[in-house]
Amino acid sequence: MKNTKKLLLLGLAASLGISTILGGCSGSSDKDKIVIYSNADDEAITAMKHALDNNGFKDQYILQSFGTSELGGKLLAEGSNIEADLVTMSTFYLESAQEQNKMFKDLDFDVQTLDTYPSYCAPITAQEGAVIINTEMMKDNNLPAPASIKDLANPEYKDMVSVTDINSSSTAWLLIQALVSKYGEDGAKDILKGIYKNAGDHIEDSGSAPLKKVRAGETAIGFGLRHQAAADKESGLPVDYIDPAEGNFSLTESAAVLDKGADSKETAMDMAECIIRNAREELLTAYPIPLYEGETDGAADKSGNPKVFSEPLTVELLKHHQELSDSCKPE
């Protein structure tokens, strides 16, 4: 009986040992996968996954989503020691990270972009800001439609406005760029103080949160991404968008491949090319701004007042505008 028990215990131990080895094999297979870090919205993540899965890369990558500020901090702090092999990120953050850390490879495939981009990245999306309204709430509360971002500081919109905190999301930077460009920094501060007062508890951490609150009728007005509001309007929700008098400022997001020397994974470059070559058709349905030769924007989707900030967009400029924004918040 004792010998039988010993045999059973040995068998169990052997079984557990085999399980551990198999588990290790499973883990090692994950190590071979390409790790992709991205700050992209859900629509872009979906399009990139479709492009990869439908073109031979299914189950060969791990894609992790981050907020823009969080991922930007990782890029700047960790450099090429970051876990990711491929990133999609706000272009200005990639440029600052490359300048500081020299962490990206030059792309080894051709891209025919409409504008000039650094040799180590290629754009995947461009996103514009706009004022967003809930048409039913505006009517029920007898509110006039705002024509500008400046109007969001008007007293009739008290407790009716939702905006994003620039410390959490780059969506808010589109609003601040517009104000600084049109009214200068001092003028922008005066307006921001009124907007933040009207927003109260509706200063959000997520770039999509103002739209969600407008969509749900929690606020009547917000500032967010134009293409997301357009999609809501198209689907029949009581949502509309207004191209503000200050202009539709935009940010691009791009793909870049990490340079890890001998530890670099060649497949990461192949996946970057796959995303650029195969995701754009789907991406254009959600982000209608053309980025590559041969792409056009439909008249219905084209923003009414596209603008570009006069200074190059850098992490340093973002920090400056974050400080400007913080000085305007109620104590």
Side-chain angles (χ1 to χ4, degrees):
M1 188 72 174
K2 289 181 180 178
N3 288 337
T4 303
K5 286 184 177 179
K6 286 181 180 179
L7 289 171
L8 288 171
L9 289 172
L10 287 170
L12 178 60
S15 174
L16 290 172
I18 292 170
S19 296
T20 302
I21 293 169
L22 290 175
C25 289
S26 175
S28 65
S29 66
D30 278 351
K31 290 179 183 177
D32 295 332
K33 293 182 178 181
I34 300 301
V35 177
I36 304 173
Y37 282 0
S38 179
N39 75 322
D41 295 322
D42 290 343
E43 301 97 327
I45 292 289
T46 299
M48 289 190 289
K49 285 182 175 179
H50 287 164
L52 293 171
D53 292 349
N54 295 334
N55 290 278
F57 295 109
K58 187 175 178 62
D59 299 325
Q60 295 184 40
Y61 62 91
I62 299 169
L63 199 157
Q64 298 183 36
S65 295
F66 295 85
T68 300
S69 296
E70 182 183 7
L71 182 51
K74 289 178 72 65
L75 290 171
L76 294 172
E78 299 176 26
S80 58
N81 292 321
I82 198 169
E83 183 186 11
D85 304 295
L86 168 63
V87 295
T88 76
M89 179 57 171
S90 301
T91 308
F92 74 89
Y93 255 122
L94 294 179
E95 292 174 347
S96 293
Q98 178 72 347
E99 182 179 355
Q100 176 178 306
N101 298 319
K102 301 294 184 283
M103 58 190 291
F104 301 120
K105 291 183 174 184
D106 281 353
L107 300 179
D108 66 5
F109 55 92
D110 292 331
V111 292
Q112 288 80 42
T113 52
L114 295 174
D115 295 321
T116 302
Y117 287 83
S119 59
Y120 52 83
C121 69
I124 56 169
T125 63
Q127 306 176 44
E128 291 180 307
V131 175
I132 303 165
I133 61 172
N134 181 304
T135 54
E136 291 179 353
M137 282 195 72
M138 298 294 288
K139 182 178 179 180
D140 291 345
N141 290 277
N142 198 29
L143 293 173
S148 64
I149 299 170
K150 181 180 180 180
D151 287 347
L152 304 191
N154 292 347
E156 63 262 34
Y157 299 138
K158 183 74 170 69
D159 299 323
M160 289 288 184
V161 175
S162 178
V163 293
T164 307
D165 188 345
I166 190 175
N167 292 305
S168 304
S169 172
S170 57
T171 299
W173 201 12
L174 300 173
L175 179 150
I176 292 175
Q177 285 180 46
L179 291 179
V180 172
S181 181
K182 180 72 173 179
Y183 308 108
E185 290 195 359
D186 289 340
K189 286 181 181 180
D190 290 338
I191 296 166
L192 278 175
K193 288 175 183 177
I195 292 175
Y196 290 154
K197 182 179 179 181
N198 281 349
D201 293 334
H202 299 300
I203 302 175
E204 312 294 344
D205 290 335
S206 165
S208 61
L211 173 61
K212 290 177 181 177
K213 289 204 168 181
V214 169
R215 181 191 295 156
E218 294 183 48
T219 61
I221 305 169
F223 183 91
L225 297 179
R226 188 179 187 273
H227 73 275
Q228 292 180 333
D232 273 11
K233 180 179 180 180
E234 180 68 21
S235 68
L237 293 172
V239 171
D240 204 351
Y241 54 95
I242 297 164
D243 293 330
E246 296 88 354
N248 301 95
F249 284 73
S250 63
L251 290 171
T252 62
E253 294 177 358
S254 296
V257 178
L258 274 294
D259 186 351
K260 298 187 174 186
D263 294 328
S264 297
K265 296 178 182 176
E266 293 183 7
T267 310
M269 187 69 71
D270 297 332
M271 289 190 183
E273 182 174 9
C274 177
I275 289 170
I276 299 304
R277 300 276 187 247
N278 300 296
R280 284 295 298 160
E281 183 176 357
E282 181 174 348
L283 286 168
L284 279 167
T285 64
Y287 308 86
I289 301 174
L291 296 171
Y292 290 88
E293 292 178 7
E295 296 179 350
T296 57
D297 51 1
D301 295 323
K302 189 174 182 179
S303 60
N305 195 12
K307 290 286 182 68
V308 177
F309 198 68
S310 59
E311 298 178 46
L313 301 183
T314 64
V315 172
E316 290 71 25
L317 181 62
L318 172 62
K319 289 179 179 177
H320 177 64
H321 285 165
Q322 287 173 333
E323 292 170 358
L324 182 153
S325 171
D326 287 342
S327 71
C328 301
K329 294 174 184 174
E331 296 183 359

